Amino acid sequence: DDIFVADETAEVDNPRESYIVVAERPPMKQFLSPNYIFLAIFFAFHQSRNIWVLTTTRDFLAFLGDDETGNRYLKIFTLLTPASVLGLPFVDVVLHKYGYGAGLAVVNLLAISQGIVQVSSTNLNVQIIGFVFYSFYRCFLFSVSFSCLPAFMSGEVVGRGYGFLILGGGLLCLINIPLSNVAVKQLGGNFFIPNLFYLLACVPCFFCCYVISRGFKKEKSQELARLRQSKMISAG
């Protein structure tokens, strides 16, 4: 929960009784802050989804007929994946203009866009559109998530914060094992149901974006309160 010394609605002219910014809390309470918890949930899910796409695209495209083309579309996917760096200027614009909550929402929107392409069409040419979405998705996922963390955590815990994010993503990736087994062994190589699962699971992630955005607004409000208090003291 958010930490308050007194009331959340405390007036800005008494900042000592208002919201305590995450970076000034004890290390454990920083990890238990809504910002960190929901960022960890968000990143773990999307890292699992990212690995799912990377490891199953070969079989997914084969089911759609890519083997008959000499794996042409797999080659296109492989070439487009590192092109994700082209999304960095867009990341910068989104973060500076709209904030981290919006940046994470863009991650989710790109994941949903690619997921819709995956489940709605068996045309390999249409899948190229999904490859483009995926490239930008990877760029936004790692750039926004990793730049978000030091924006609210203190320097002494941010390293451990990164470690826990990656650990959570790695553990959640284990669900990809039964999902791939279902697709290959029970569905005859048809990845529609697992892909649909990941598509639908993106929707609750918007709540994570909302909570994180709300948390940053509280952080900014406290900073403004302190600045106003400082000016009042200087003027006095």
Side-chain angles (χ1 to χ4, degrees):
D1 294 333
D2 295 329
I3 294 182
F4 293 83
V5 176
D7 192 339
E8 179 181 357
T9 60
E11 296 295 331
V12 296
D13 58 354
N14 192 2
R16 291 178 300 175
E17 294 186 346
S18 58
Y19 173 86
I20 299 177
V21 296
V22 175
E24 296 179 358
R25 303 176 191 178
M28 183 56 66
K29 290 185 178 179
Q30 292 187 46
F31 290 124
L32 294 177
S33 67
N35 271 19
Y36 186 78
I37 290 174
F38 282 91
L39 178 62
I41 293 171
F42 183 92
F43 182 80
F45 168 76
H46 280 289
Q47 173 65 337
S48 178
R49 183 188 181 279
N50 171 54
I51 297 300
W52 168 260
V53 175
L54 281 176
T55 56
T56 63
T57 294
R58 164 70 179 83
D59 293 325
F60 168 66
L61 293 177
F63 183 79
L64 300 184
D66 192 34
D67 285 349
E68 287 72 22
T69 70
N71 296 317
R72 179 193 308 158
Y73 293 89
L74 179 62
K75 294 173 184 175
I76 295 173
F77 173 80
T78 304
L79 290 172
L80 283 176
T81 300
S84 60
V85 295
L86 297 176
L88 289 175
F90 299 98
V91 173
D92 190 61
V93 170
V94 171
L95 293 185
H96 281 83
K97 192 169 184 179
Y98 302 105
Y100 289 102
L104 294 172
V106 171
V107 172
N108 223 34
L109 287 172
L110 289 169
I112 289 173
S113 298
Q114 189 223 350
I116 290 174
V117 173
Q118 284 182 315
V119 303
S120 66
S121 177
T122 57
N123 188 312
L124 286 167
N125 290 319
V126 174
Q127 292 302 320
I128 296 177
I129 300 174
F131 301 163
V132 175
F133 283 133
Y134 178 70
S135 293
F136 279 85
Y137 163 70
R138 279 172 51 85
C139 178
F140 268 82
L141 172 60
F142 295 107
S143 299
V144 177
S145 298
F146 289 162
S147 62
C148 177
L149 198 60
F152 68 87
M153 298 190 82
S154 64
E156 65 178 358
V157 301
V158 73
R160 281 175 285 171
Y162 283 127
F164 290 139
L165 284 186
I166 296 171
L167 176 63
L171 291 175
L172 193 59
C173 282
L174 294 175
I175 69 170
N176 291 338
I177 297 174
L179 283 176
S180 60
N181 285 337
V182 168
V184 174
K185 296 180 180 179
Q186 299 183 28
L187 300 176
N190 188 342
F191 284 81
F192 176 82
I193 292 179
N195 287 339
L196 181 63
F197 162 75
Y198 267 114
L199 171 60
L200 296 178
C202 286
V203 177
C205 288
F206 281 115
F207 181 71
C208 296
C209 302
Y210 165 76
V211 173
I212 294 169
S213 177
R214 184 170 174 266
F216 271 104
K217 287 179 180 178
K218 290 181 178 180
E219 299 270 306
K220 185 175 181 179
S221 295
Q222 178 63 2
E223 290 177 5
L224 292 174
R226 289 181 176 180
L227 179 61
R228 189 174 304 177
Q229 179 73 2
S230 177
K231 289 182 178 179
M232 291 174 60
I233 293 173
S234 298

